[in-house]
Amino acid sequence: MERPYDRTESLNMLLSTYLPDRIRKAVKGIKDHYLKDLEEIRIRSGLPLMGVFSGSDYFISEDGVLSHNSQSALTVAPKEVNSLFLLLCEQSVYAYQEDIIRGFITLKGGHRAGICGTVVYEGDKIKAIKDISSINIRFSRQVKDCAKDIFQKLIRNRQDIYNTLILSPPRCGKTTILRDLCRLISQGVGNDRFRGLRTAVIDERSELAASFRGVPQNDLGPRTDVLDGCRKSQGIEMMLRGMAPQVIIVDELGAKEDADAIRMAWNAGVRIIATAHAFGLEDFKRRLGVGQLAGKDGFERIVLLGMDNGKRWAKVMDANGNEYRALAESYRMPDGFCRVRGCGNEDVFEACGETACTGKTHRNSS
Amino acid sequence: MSLRLVERQRALAKLTEILLNLRNQICKLGIPLFMAFENVGRESNSGVWSDIFIECGNVMRQQHIDAGEAWKKVIKKMGNSVPLDDSDWHVLSDFWELLGKSDRENQESILDLEKENLEMLEKRAKEAINTKGRLYRNLGVLSGAAVVILLL
């Protein structure tokens, strides 16, 4: 039986493993009803300790008292920032140097520490970040079933799904939805309604699986293989050759090479679920390289995510932009994601002979 | 005493071998230090150093301290099992402080430098075997002869 996510346990593990004494004591002193809303701890050299609670900033005193006044907060010593940095790297900076260059370190439990300091270049490439000045520990939380209703619109038949592109501006939940879709595709849904497919995740920025020492910290389903830290274009080719996936999942399409690799996967009969930054379908279509993937013979379903007055919404459309449904705010889930209300989805379960891994071309009439 | 000199030289030679293995684990494979220590400690050819490296890895894993601090703690507890002189320990002590604190390129330089230090110590140990070792053996023979003469 699946063990429920225990945020307190995860937080305690994080505190005892990584935080220096004074900061640990301060965070542990925060009252439980505030602690459950803690999203980030911001630790800056020579500046007050700060926490982000449900999107709002508060300074944290030595005893864990929250305030908008920075005077009463615990001032972090430069030595503590350095000590925290070494603890985050498990006293082995070299083992995390690729992560450090990318600006963050993935921690046990899927949490993430963003790093700031002085950037060292070698030619035009970042070689290292030295003199670490601030660290932002962001608490990860997998929102299971947030994509359950969207997923109903992406099922072609019980053994196949539509090639799907998820579009939204930043911070609208693309990656969270993609992660849950991956879990649902891999795991299957209901009593034989959708059986689950072999899924490959190319996790270029370690955001989907949040692998820690090779072990995914997020649940991506039982049929999922993860290629961590690999470029999308190279990863798709590697997965096609080595792992025979039925579905490949990639986050944040952008480069022209990504488009070529996706076409390669489609030619091999593999389904693609991808995300991209865009305000809408037309916006995405204007993108050089990847934009053409949304046209004819491209993605068959487009999921558009957005936010109105702090409330998230989702729309599912076909390749021509015809909407399958719109969202009402009343369908907003407690976790911040919206439920999709069913309408006009008769075609979703229409039987289709082609399965994800056997088709000669990526497209089939829907 | 002569045997201890030979053991000292062997221990230094073994540590040079271990450093090569450690260099591979750190610079080529990028394995975190505590795991690298445990790995080299478990190698069958680590000899007298085996327990020390395993313990050092354990201490780092459990107490979240750096390699220098862990090394000091472990050597204080288990250093007697290795036949090194105080001067050897002194030369070796600074190296562990630097482990893990920089990128692979820098760690490689640190490990190479330490290898040179160890080779120098080993050379001195060999010289000590040739000079002091012979002296101890001769002293032993002469003492034996003196005892025999006294008995006669």
Side-chain angles (χ1 to χ4, degrees):
Chain A
M1 203 175 122
E2 194 182 325
R3 201 166 156 241
Y5 177 85
D6 188 337
R7 187 174 156 79
T8 314
E9 189 187 308
S10 176
L11 194 66
N12 282 338
M13 183 278 298
L14 197 73
L15 297 181
S16 58
T17 310
Y18 297 112
L19 294 188
D21 290 345
R22 279 195 329 145
I23 301 174
R24 184 191 307 146
K25 197 181 151 218
V27 177
K28 277 194 169 173
I30 299 171
K31 286 185 177 155
D32 282 348
H33 59 279
Y34 292 121
L35 207 58
K36 70 178 171 51
D37 293 329
L38 182 62
E39 291 171 352
E40 297 175 7
I41 304 175
R42 290 180 171 264
I43 298 147
R44 300 176 174 106
S45 185
L47 290 169
L49 179 66
M50 200 178 96
V52 179
F53 300 79
S54 297
S56 305
D57 300 345
Y58 288 93
F59 296 107
I60 306 168
S61 79
E62 230 164 299
D63 307 323
V65 177
L66 306 183
S67 160
H68 286 297
N69 180 8
S70 64
Q71 302 296 317
S72 58
L74 165 72
T75 303
V76 180
K79 210 173 98 183
E80 286 174 311
V81 176
N82 195 42
S83 158
L84 171 61
F85 173 64
L86 288 173
L87 284 166
L88 294 170
C89 295
E90 299 182 292
Q91 309 288 351
S92 313
V93 173
Y94 63 85
Y96 289 88
Q97 70 185 63
E98 282 83 14
D99 286 0
I100 294 165
I101 287 168
R102 289 193 293 178
F104 62 84
I105 295 170
T106 303
L107 311 173
K108 198 176 175 192
H111 310 295
R112 174 173 286 200
I115 298 160
C116 272
T118 308
V119 175
V120 180
Y121 276 94
E122 191 173 64
D124 57 353
K125 280 188 177 171
I126 295 176
K127 193 189 172 208
I129 300 180
K130 62 173 187 175
D131 304 331
I132 304 301
S133 56
S134 51
I135 294 170
N136 176 23
I137 298 178
R138 298 171 67 186
F139 297 99
S140 136
R141 194 172 54 151
Q142 182 172 15
V143 188
K144 285 191 178 177
D145 285 336
C146 66
K148 201 173 175 183
D149 297 315
I150 292 172
F151 183 57
Q152 304 300 329
K153 304 282 178 291
L154 312 183
I155 299 172
R156 190 191 299 268
N157 62 41
R158 66 178 58 170
Q159 281 184 303
D160 197 5
I161 53 162
Y162 290 107
N163 292 302
T164 302
L165 177 65
I166 303 166
L167 298 174
S168 90
R171 293 195 69 86
C172 286
K174 274 190 303 293
T175 306
T176 310
I177 291 284
L178 185 66
R179 191 184 292 130
D180 200 45
L181 281 176
C182 175
R183 185 184 64 82
L184 293 165
I185 292 166
S186 173
Q187 180 181 280
V189 177
N191 297 329
D192 214 24
R193 196 168 166 199
F194 179 75
R195 285 180 184 169
L197 299 171
R198 288 190 307 275
T199 308
V201 175
I202 319 296
D203 201 3
E204 186 170 347
R205 304 197 310 164
S206 308
E207 282 187 320
L208 291 168
S211 294
F212 178 77
R213 278 192 227 132
V215 182
Q217 302 293 295
N218 290 323
D219 176 9
L220 296 184
R223 295 180 181 88
T224 303
D225 302 300
V226 180
L227 199 54
D228 185 44
C230 184
R231 285 186 191 147
K232 287 180 273 288
S233 51
Q234 291 169 332
I236 288 173
E237 199 175 338
M238 284 165 73
M239 283 298 198
L240 286 175
R241 283 182 186 162
M243 302 305 288
Q246 293 165 302
V247 181
I248 292 180
I249 288 185
V250 289
D251 200 9
E252 297 193 5
L253 294 179
K256 186 184 172 295
E257 301 83 62
D258 298 345
D260 295 340
I262 282 175
R263 289 198 186 282
M264 187 198 298
W266 280 341
N267 286 335
V270 176
R271 302 293 180 220
I272 296 280
I273 310 284
T275 69
H277 284 300
F279 289 95
L281 187 54
E282 292 311 311
D283 180 25
F284 181 77
K285 279 180 178 173
R286 285 195 290 271
R287 297 279 161 81
L288 209 63
V290 289
Q292 290 175 350
L293 294 174
K296 190 173 170 282
D297 295 338
F299 285 105
E300 300 151 292
R301 291 286 179 272
I302 310 293
V303 178
L304 203 59
L305 305 176
M307 199 185 276
D308 272 339
N309 296 325
K311 291 181 178 179
R312 290 189 170 99
W313 53 262
K315 277 184 208 176
V316 183
M317 301 182 290
D318 66 11
N320 301 318
N322 300 317
E323 197 176 319
Y324 277 86
R325 70 140 285 86
L327 277 189
E329 281 180 1
S330 57
Y331 284 84
R332 189 170 177 269
M333 289 169 67
D335 52 36
F337 287 93
C338 302
R339 284 195 182 279
V340 180
R341 189 174 45 191
C343 70
N345 62 342
E346 291 75 18
D347 64 315
V348 169
F349 298 108
E350 203 172 272
C352 175
E354 184 192 20
T355 60
C357 63
T358 54
K360 284 182 184 169
T361 59
H362 68 277
R363 287 277 290 175
N364 201 354
S365 54
S366 51
Chain B
M1 281 170 90
S2 173
L3 184 67
R4 187 175 164 86
L5 287 176
V6 175
E7 281 174 352
R8 175 188 167 214
Q9 188 255 322
R10 276 189 202 145
L12 288 166
K14 191 56 77 182
L15 189 57
T16 313
E17 273 177 42
I18 289 173
L19 276 201
L20 278 176
N21 191 353
L22 205 58
R23 188 179 187 272
N24 185 42
Q25 304 239 358
I26 290 173
C27 305
K28 301 284 182 267
L29 302 173
I31 296 173
L33 266 185
F34 70 90
M35 281 168 87
F37 282 167
E38 286 171 353
N39 290 346
V40 296
R42 282 195 203 103
E43 297 268 337
S44 56
N45 59 355
S46 296
V48 287
W49 295 101
S50 180
D51 290 343
I52 288 180
F53 274 94
I54 290 175
E55 183 61 14
C56 210
N58 264 336
V59 168
M60 281 188 79
R61 185 197 288 266
Q62 284 161 13
Q63 299 178 24
H64 309 292
I65 54 176
D66 65 21
E69 217 175 318
W71 180 258
K72 272 183 205 155
K73 278 192 176 187
V74 173
I75 292 306
K76 201 173 171 186
K77 200 168 89 178
M78 302 169 75
N80 288 338
S81 61
V82 183
L84 294 192
D85 289 352
D86 286 347
S87 59
D88 298 332
W89 289 120
H90 184 71
V91 172
L92 289 173
S93 64
D94 292 345
F95 159 70
W96 306 96
E97 296 284 346
L98 299 171
L99 269 191
K101 303 234 166 92
S102 52
D103 65 7
R104 270 171 228 165
E105 209 178 307
N106 200 275
Q107 293 290 297
E108 209 164 1
S109 313
I110 290 165
L111 283 153
D112 287 345
L113 191 69
E114 192 57 15
K115 189 171 157 270
E116 282 174 25
N117 278 342
L118 272 170
E119 281 167 353
M120 184 197 70
L121 287 178
E122 201 189 332
K123 199 177 154 193
R124 277 190 207 158
K126 272 183 190 165
E127 283 168 6
I129 292 170
N130 290 335
T131 53
K132 286 183 190 167
R134 196 177 297 153
L135 179 70
Y136 293 144
R137 274 197 301 276
N138 289 341
L139 274 176
V141 171
L142 286 173
S143 311
V147 169
V148 170
I149 289 165
L150 282 174
L151 285 173
L152 286 174

